[in-house]
């Protein structure tokens, strides 16, 4: 019995220590995120999270306003998304015609949550998305994750934070809330508001409610 007590105590103590280190690392990353400037050493490898419908339209417009320094571009879409890949390929083809570098890849992961999906079942689908996101982000090791609201972005941002927590690479999290969000944040926005390095909103009413947010007018 005494041996069992020692073993259990050791496991609990180890878990507490690891959890404490994890929290401190996460706090340090979030606290000093704005000091990280990936573009200072050349091009910026960016992971772009595209949702279906309006989310993809907005993120493509946003990509069109970025400089040639954001290269390569790794687009990530949900495996049930039937339209985003065509929009992305059209955008990249037009970009190449204009003489800009067009180095990009497209990847698919399970969708975190479908429209009208129950919250109970969305837990399992979110875990599935996270299991696919971690190896993808660890393999690509982007300098930045850029997203604008689709549920798919949450596990990808979590994987990016994990890279930093483990000391493998600092990944900048940039979130741009959708233009259609005027009074309240999306669910993804409510989560990533606390973990993103730069959190942009496109309406002054949201800036008033969320002081950490950055408001510079309409972006898309």
């Amino acid at each position: 019995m005494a041996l069992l007590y020692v073993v259990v105590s050791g496991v609990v103590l180890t878990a507490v220590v690891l959890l404490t280190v994890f929290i401190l690392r996460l706090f340090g990353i979030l606290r000093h995120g704005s000091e990280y400037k990936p573009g200072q050493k050349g091009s910026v490898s960016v992971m772009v999270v595209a949702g279906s419908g309006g989310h993809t339209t907005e993120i493509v417009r946003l990509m069109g306003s970025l400089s040639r320094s954001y290269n390569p571009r790794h687009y990530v879409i949900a495996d049930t998304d039937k339209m985003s890949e065509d929009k992305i390929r059209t955008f990249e083809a037009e970009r190449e015609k204009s003489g800009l570098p067009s180095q990009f890849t497209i990847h698919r992961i399970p969708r975190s949550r479908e429209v009208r999906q129950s919250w109970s079942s969305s837990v399992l689908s979110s875990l599935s998305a996270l299991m696919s996101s971690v190896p993808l982000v660890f393999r690509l090791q982007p300098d930045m994750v850029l997203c604008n609201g689709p549920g798919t972005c949450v596990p990808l941002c979590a994987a990016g934070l994990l890279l930093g927590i483990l000391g493998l690479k600092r990944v900048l999290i940039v979130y741009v809330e959708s233009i259609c969000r005027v009074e309240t944040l999306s669910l993804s926005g409510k989560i990533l508001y606390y973990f993103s390095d730069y959190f942009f909103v496109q309406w002054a009413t949201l800036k008033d409610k969320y002081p950490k947010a950055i408001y510079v007018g309409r972006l898309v």
Side-chain angles (χ1 to χ4, degrees), residues 116-153:
R116 297 188 181 89
Q117 182 180 349
S118 67
W119 290 106
S120 57
S121 63
S122 65
V123 172
L124 294 177
S125 58
S126 295
L127 288 175
S128 175
L130 180 61
M131 294 299 291
S132 297
S133 298
V134 170
L136 177 63
V137 173
F138 276 48
R139 176 166 58 86
L140 297 177
Q141 296 204 6
D143 297 310
M144 181 178 82
V145 176
L146 176 64
C147 50
N148 69 335
T152 308
C153 69

Side-chain angles (χ1 to χ4, degrees), residues 2-20:
L3 178 60
L4 178 61
Y5 176 79
V6 171
V7 172
V8 172
S9 298
V11 171
V12 172
L13 180 60
T14 301
V16 170
V17 170
L18 290 176
L19 181 61
T20 302

Side-chain angles (χ1 to χ4, degrees), residues 14-183:
T14 301
V16 170
V17 170
L18 290 176
L19 181 61
T20 302
V21 172
F22 182 91
I23 293 174
L24 290 175
R25 286 285 300 168
L26 177 60
F27 178 77
I29 289 171
L30 297 177
R31 184 178 181 182
H32 301 290
S34 60
E35 300 174 4
Y36 177 57
K37 309 292 183 183
Q40 291 178 339
K41 296 182 179 180
S43 63
V44 179
S45 171
V46 56
M47 175 172 283
V48 186
V49 188
S52 56
H55 286 299
T56 297
T57 300
E58 288 186 17
I59 204 72
V60 166
R61 287 177 182 171
L62 187 60
M63 291 303 297
S65 66
L66 298 182
S67 72
R68 64 175 64 214
S69 298
Y70 292 86
N71 193 60
R73 294 170 298 284
H74 304 291
Y75 296 93
V76 184
I77 59 180
D79 55 5
T80 57
D81 189 343
K82 306 301 181 184
M83 298 181 294
S84 293
E85 183 170 352
D86 291 338
K87 292 182 180 180
I88 292 168
R89 292 192 181 280
T90 298
F91 164 74
E92 289 291 342
E94 293 175 352
R95 183 184 178 91
E96 189 172 17
K97 287 180 182 178
S98 64
L100 295 173
S102 184
Q103 184 181 353
F104 73 99
T105 58
I106 298 177
H107 309 270
R108 291 181 178 270
I109 65 170
R111 189 184 293 273
S112 296
R113 184 172 183 267
E114 296 284 357
V115 178
R116 297 188 181 89
Q117 182 180 349
S118 67
W119 290 106
S120 57
S121 63
S122 65
V123 172
L124 294 177
S125 58
S126 295
L127 288 175
S128 175
L130 180 61
M131 294 299 291
S132 297
S133 298
V134 170
L136 177 63
V137 173
F138 276 48
R139 176 166 58 86
L140 297 177
Q141 296 204 6
D143 297 310
M144 181 178 82
V145 176
L146 176 64
C147 50
N148 69 335
T152 308
C153 69
V154 175
L156 289 165
C157 289
L161 286 171
L162 184 59
L163 263 181
I165 290 170
L166 295 177
L168 299 176
K169 184 174 184 178
R170 180 68 173 91
V171 180
L172 202 67
I173 307 296
V174 180
Y175 184 92
V176 181
E177 186 58 282
S178 172
I179 187 69
C180 67
R181 287 291 175 170
V182 181
E183 299 289 342

